[in-house]
Amino acid sequence: MQLRLEGSVLELVQGDITLQQVDAIVNAANRWLAGGGGVDGAIHRRGGPAIMKETRRRYPEGCPTGRAVITGAGDLPSRFVIHAVGPVWKGGSKGEAALLASAYRCSLEAAVTHECRGIAFPSLSTGAYRYPVIKAARTAVSAVIEFLEERRAPELVRFVLFDEATWRAYAAALTSVTGSGKNRDPYPSG
């Protein structure tokens, strides 16, 4: 599924983020940038020890929730890994939506600053951090569309979603967000 905006494309695919051939992939990192399971573990395993070595050297204090930092990509096909720290779900009344949206915006800002034409995101905070996928998808899609409408960059933003249920949640969010009567042209492409 794709959404074309002036100067940019937002697309949803199901797959493995570590195989994406874009300038930057986003890691669902913890605030210590210490490596872990899920997307984080997969990125560090496939990217090799160079990523962790760089994060420890450049960001010894870690990264606050709602923010993002960038490193090289080690052995991955991308040039960069953007380590985004999403919030732990605490019921929705502790500012989780604002922190999640900020993690996406900070990741996109890092991509633009480093002249990335394409960036791939996982579904931040929906694994070990237990953020409900339907709520996370709507926040993520809205934050990305707002950024693309303001900045008209990067050229490609791809959500790489691990399973069909997550892809469906993001597809529903994209349809919901763009079906509000605004001048957007979503269309399915796969």
Side-chain angles (χ1 to χ4, degrees), residues 65-165:
T65 301
R67 303 293 305 268
V69 295
I70 192 167
T71 64
D75 297 329
L76 294 164
S78 59
R79 291 184 0 216
F80 301 106
V81 174
I82 298 171
H83 307 269
V85 183
V88 173
W89 180 255
K90 296 178 182 173
S93 62
K94 304 290 185 195
E96 293 98 316
L99 289 167
L100 185 60
S102 178
Y104 281 100
R105 283 192 301 272
C106 289
S107 297
L108 289 163
E109 191 61 50
V112 169
T113 299
H114 287 82
E115 300 179 350
C116 296
R117 295 175 64 192
I119 181 174
F121 282 101
S123 180
L124 296 174
S125 287
T126 59
Y129 286 5
R130 302 176 313 279
Y131 207 115
V133 174
I134 292 170
K135 292 179 185 299
R138 186 165 180 88
T139 298
V141 167
S142 295
V144 168
I145 289 172
E146 287 173 16
F147 187 93
L148 293 176
E149 287 179 336
E150 290 171 15
R151 301 292 298 273
R152 300 193 189 319
E155 293 173 24
L156 171 66
V157 177
R158 178 181 296 148
F159 282 99
V160 182
L161 306 160
F162 184 71
D163 59 27
E164 186 175 345

Side-chain angles (χ1 to χ4, degrees), residues 47-63:
I51 298 170
M52 185 62 72
K53 184 177 179 182
E54 185 177 352
T55 59
R56 286 184 180 142
R57 179 179 53 80
R58 291 182 63 192
Y59 310 106
E61 302 299 316
C63 179

